[in-house]
């Protein structure tokens, strides 16, 4: 067994929070292999955390535990959860990330973490559940504990209806959830929604300072320096500039609206 | 044996310095497990390094070696040290970090690193003792060498009297040593000093643009957006804003003074 | 066997690209040990990638695989390569990094990666060869595959003549390829070129806002706050300020020219 745990947080890299959590986890299971996804999620931005997780998760081996701690509700009554989706495990606060990862599916198993035996201490700090609950439970799961040992089954989890794009017969409205290092602007509009209506290919895309009149297949569909809309490696609509920094060039920010309007055909 | 070494430096993340040091360490002991605490300590800021280390160290398993290379004195006569504090080992320059970690205690063992056998090369570079002395010695200690093999016992180490807060019968004067990603302002005033005088609970706290009139227990003691002083997970006085970025909102910087004045009761 | 792979990319740290690549690699070879060199290479800056790699590579154990993905030509006809240089292996796009690492030598073995068996999928994405080709091949090489299994021998690789300094009987012209966290300015002028003409020691060095009139041996050759030119731990000409941030103080940027003019002796 080679237990693998990924970590996605908004803890940043200039503090000792990530290391404290890793120390606790390695004290529980010394053979853990830890892979950082990112610790630079914008503070408390659960949509960005969900998007980044969804990009990485498909590439990890069966049995990987994905620890995600972006926790605007720490210290409130929001529940700590663990879930199994296919052959991957997830641990984190009930903040909506799970719903965004699942899209319309259901988790294969879902538990509320209510067994302090698997926490660092029975009375966790009010501000650092990553170190005191989520990290320890992830380490125990990676070392072979079952979901029904670390928690009690539940059926409910936080939905994030506001985070989903709106779609009707005239088009789709979504927004930019992440801007990557190259300036590509990734939206909350999934491939599945775009492919539901063939008019998407020739629709008008209003975003930032530009109106695009088609969905491109690859960067090379447009000349260098020109903007385009395409379905990226994230399986979501992305707005990019061929060999350029789209966010800067097109005045797009995180949260910028993206409006897709079907033409008259 | 699963040798574990943590790394705390001011080397940054855009250079190859950390990787060069890790390469040397893995050449010595291929089974090493390396955990970064942070490499973003402000350049040459030994107080920040000590604070971040003190947050992480209690969470690591017995036998962990903590390598700390913030080294304003590299190339001068400052001595290279290794120490044992309880069941943890420390390696780094004699720059005061050790004194700050120990507070008023003594190390359980302390040696000057004077055995070039355990260095990368007998004549280390003038500018990179992390790669040439401290990293290699940490790897050797993690792989089972004893302190008295890698160095010679000593009793003295750099004190940092200026780094300690001043306390008298009227109050305490300290300052902000670290601002975390969420804007919380951590000071050099330890819990022990605050608890020595019960008047701390009702004192006036002067810091940045605000005067606080009590020591709070948790964030929830004040409404959202309001400032508070509390003893944080670091066991030091912290100044925060509930659901806000204290450093920005209260005009607090690293180095900002914090004055605690006892009232007339 | 303890397979070790280093990673050098321009992917940044706020995205999931590095983690996706690591997930693919760990799915191929679960015992891999991964060491980040840096993911903060300036986007598409192959010279900086080559410089950073050249600093780290000499310190890694024999058999280490160095994965370098800075890939301005992704999606074009540039070839994917793997090479052996002494006891180290390299994997990456044919973008000139290899030529810069080799200086005037030849690789001990060089192959074009044309065996999709060792890729993630036979038809890789147009934009993410790190995840789909280079990462998987690096994992296979680290797990024991031979170069002639993953590719077909070739003799040619991209040269970067423009990236080399110009030298004639009157002096040397180069430029700054990297500025480190402390503000030291590292140039593309190697030690070997400087040592070829003894007049280098007393030449005039024109760089940014300053003219230096000698090559120093160590920082301590000049008073605190004064600029100097020296051969750094990178074995290249560096311009620094003793206890200061040279780039800021001397108005030096990445790409700033450095002119060395021999005197009349």
């Amino acid at each position: 067994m080679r237990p693998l745990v990924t970590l996605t947080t908004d803890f940043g890299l200039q503090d000792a929070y990530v290391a404290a959590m890793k120390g606790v986890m390695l004290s529980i299971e010394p053979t853990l292999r830890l892979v950082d996804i990112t610790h630079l999620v914008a503070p408390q931005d659960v949509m960005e955390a969900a998007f980044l997780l969804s990009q990485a998760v498909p590439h990890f081996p069966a049995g990987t535990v994905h620890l995600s701690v972006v926790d605007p509700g720490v210290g409130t009554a929001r529940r700590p959860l663990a879930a199994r989706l296919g052959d991957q495990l997830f641990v984190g606060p009930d903040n909506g990330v799970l719903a965004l990862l699942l899209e319309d599916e259901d988790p294969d198993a879902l538990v509320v973490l209510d067994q302090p035996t698997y926490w660092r201490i029975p009375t966790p700090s009010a501000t650092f559940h990553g170190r005191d609950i989520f990290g320890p439970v992830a380490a125990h799961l990676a070392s072979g504990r079952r979901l029904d040992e670390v928690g009690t089954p539940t059926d409910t989890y936080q939905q994030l209806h506001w985070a989903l794009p709106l779609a009707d017969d005239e088009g789709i409205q979504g927004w930019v959830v992440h801007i990557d290092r190259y300036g590509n602007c990734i939206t909350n509009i999934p491939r599945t929604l775009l492919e539901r209506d063939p008019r998407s290919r020739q629709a008008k895309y209003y975003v930032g300072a530009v109106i695009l009149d088609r969905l491109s297949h690859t960067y090379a569909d447009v000349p260098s320096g020109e903007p385009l809309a395409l379905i990226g490696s994230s399986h979501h609509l992305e707005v990019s500039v061929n060999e350029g920094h789209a966010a800067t060039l097109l005045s797009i920010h995180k949260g910028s609206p993206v409006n897709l309007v079907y033409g008259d055909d």
Side-chain angles (χ1 to χ4, degrees), chain A residues 138-161:
Chain A
H140 282 295
L141 287 172
S143 76
R145 293 283 167 192
R146 298 186 317 271
L147 282 178
D148 63 7
E149 290 180 278
V150 300
T152 301
T154 181
D155 286 328
T156 58
Y157 52 96
Q158 176 78 44
Q159 302 295 320
L160 279 190
H161 298 293

Side-chain angles (χ1 to χ4, degrees), chain A residues 51-227:
Chain A
F51 164 73
L52 292 168
L53 256 180
S54 72
Q55 279 202 306
V57 165
H59 301 296
F60 279 85
T64 301
V65 179
H66 301 281
L67 171 60
S68 160
V69 189
V70 173
D71 197 5
V74 66
T76 70
R78 70 96 192 85
R79 303 177 308 162
L81 295 179
R84 186 163 60 76
L85 279 61
D87 58 12
Q88 310 273 316
L89 292 162
F90 295 82
V91 177
D94 187 16
N95 58 10
V97 164
L98 195 60
L100 292 170
L101 284 175
L102 285 165
E103 298 187 11
D104 293 330
E105 299 180 57
D106 279 321
D108 297 293
L110 180 64
V111 299
V112 181
L113 304 178
D114 54 7
Q115 300 298 320
T117 310
Y118 300 102
W119 302 356
R120 185 175 75 92
I121 43 177
T123 51
S125 100
T127 56
F128 200 173
H129 288 187
R131 180 193 63 195
D132 293 348
I133 299 177
F134 300 115
V137 168
H140 282 295
L141 287 172
S143 76
R145 293 283 167 192
R146 298 186 317 271
L147 282 178
D148 63 7
E149 290 180 278
V150 300
T152 301
T154 181
D155 286 328
T156 58
Y157 52 96
Q158 176 78 44
Q159 302 295 320
L160 279 190
H161 298 293
W162 58 266
L164 304 177
L166 299 174
D168 62 19
D169 191 52
E170 295 179 24
I172 302 173
Q173 182 173 23
W175 67 81
V176 172
V177 293
H178 180 70
I179 293 174
D180 78 7
R181 195 189 191 204
Y182 307 95
N184 301 308
C185 305
I186 295 100
T187 76
N188 65 338
I189 302 176
R191 170 199 291 273
T192 47
L193 193 56
L194 288 169
E195 291 179 343
R196 207 155 69 186
D197 193 316
R199 290 178 297 170
S200 294
R201 285 268 155 219
Q202 302 298 332
K204 283 199 173 0
Y205 291 79
Y206 296 79
V207 54
V210 78
I211 306 174
L212 302 164
D213 59 4
R214 74 173 62 80
L215 190 61
S216 299
H217 285 92
T218 74
Y219 287 89
D221 285 359
V222 301
S224 173
E226 291 294 318

